[in-house]
Amino acid sequence: MGKLVSTIFVTLDGVYQAPGGPQEDTRGGFEQGGWSFPYADDDFGQFINEVFARPGAFLLGRRTYDIFASFWPKVTDPLDPVAVKLNALPKYVASSTLTDPEWSGTTVISGDLGKEIADLKERTDGELQVHGSGALLRSLLAHDLVDTLHLLTFPVVLGAGYRLFTEGAVPTAFRHTAGRTTGTGVVIHSYDFAGRPEYGSYELPENP
């Protein structure tokens, strides 16, 4: 059985919208796209290369799929570790409107998200990787389908944009498994799903 592994970039105020470029995602009039670009360095690239050494298949939300499909098929360098995997391995896109995907190796998932992705995990040899796809990731977390979350936090506050964790998120606990900081200050933390949160109190016990 494969593991579902999510890698997502967020700002200090939790925004995941349009990290890669100004036109990537302008929903809501968002004008601050491309905020991750100034922080890309060798440390960041090394982590991304490590992630892309492990996929068995990819699962993407519709918006991220469209962004990837417009770019990665054009990258034909056989030594590019990201392009090679994205172009060669199976890709699944969660969408109720996409009917005829042009990117080779793409399958559309449009039915019961929880059931279909649970089945997909069973069939995947290696990691079923989710990149970006914030809205899809929230749904996956709500279904307890995420095994590992790589959360890359960039040292910037935007004050606007779509946020990853919003009101109504399912309370979830994680176990921290790894962490590092890049030379430009991107904090990379890896977490494994650990069920529901536990609660306690710092109040002093009353005297008998």
Side-chain angles (χ1 to χ4, degrees), residues 146-163:
V146 178
D147 297 293
T148 298
L149 174 64
H150 298 306
L151 191 68
L152 284 69
T153 304
F154 289 71
V156 60
V157 170
L158 300 181
Y162 286 96
R163 287 164 171 79

Side-chain angles (χ1 to χ4, degrees), residues 68-160:
F68 278 21
S70 70
F71 179 81
W72 288 109
K74 301 172 187 173
V75 181
T76 56
D77 180 356
L79 299 179
D80 187 309
V82 177
V84 167
K85 294 295 178 66
L86 279 171
N87 288 320
L89 290 174
K91 291 164 287 288
Y92 299 88
V93 54
S95 174
S96 59
T97 56
L98 181 65
T99 56
D100 189 22
E102 296 181 2
W103 195 3
S104 174
T106 298
T107 301
V108 178
I109 294 176
S110 58
D112 182 325
L113 188 73
K115 181 179 185 306
E116 291 206 29
I117 293 174
D119 290 345
L120 187 55
K121 284 174 63 174
E122 291 277 356
R123 301 196 308 268
T124 300
D125 184 17
E127 293 183 358
L128 176 60
Q129 292 190 352
V130 180
H131 293 275
S133 309
L136 173 62
L137 175 57
R138 283 202 298 268
S139 296
L140 297 173
L141 287 165
H143 285 91
D144 293 344
L145 287 168
V146 178
D147 297 293
T148 298
L149 174 64
H150 298 306
L151 191 68
L152 284 69
T153 304
F154 289 71
V156 60
V157 170
L158 300 181

Side-chain angles (χ1 to χ4, degrees), residues 137-145 164-174 193 195-197 199:
L137 175 57
R138 283 202 298 268
S139 296
L140 297 173
L141 287 165
H143 285 91
D144 293 344
L145 287 168
L164 179 58
F165 296 113
T166 56
E167 290 293 320
V170 174
T172 307
F174 295 91
F193 176 75
R196 302 277 80 86
Y199 306 93

Side-chain angles (χ1 to χ4, degrees), residues 19-76:
Q23 301 305 315
E24 196 172 68
D25 181 357
T26 58
R27 285 176 299 165
F30 187 66
E31 297 179 342
Q32 301 182 78
W35 46 264
S36 76
F37 182 80
Y39 303 98
D41 63 1
D42 289 345
D43 295 337
F44 176 81
Q46 174 65 29
F47 177 79
I48 297 300
N49 288 346
E50 290 171 16
V51 169
F52 275 89
R54 299 188 294 263
F58 297 98
L59 171 64
L60 303 170
R62 171 65 188 272
R63 190 169 297 273
T64 299
Y65 175 82
D66 285 346
I67 292 166
F68 278 21
S70 70
F71 179 81
W72 288 109
K74 301 172 187 173
V75 181
T76 56

Side-chain angles (χ1 to χ4, degrees), residues 47 149-153 176-181 187-191:
F47 177 79
L149 174 64
H150 298 306
L151 191 68
L152 284 69
T153 304
H176 185 256
T177 57
R180 66 177 90 167
T181 304
V187 179
I188 303 172
H189 286 302
S190 299
Y191 302 94

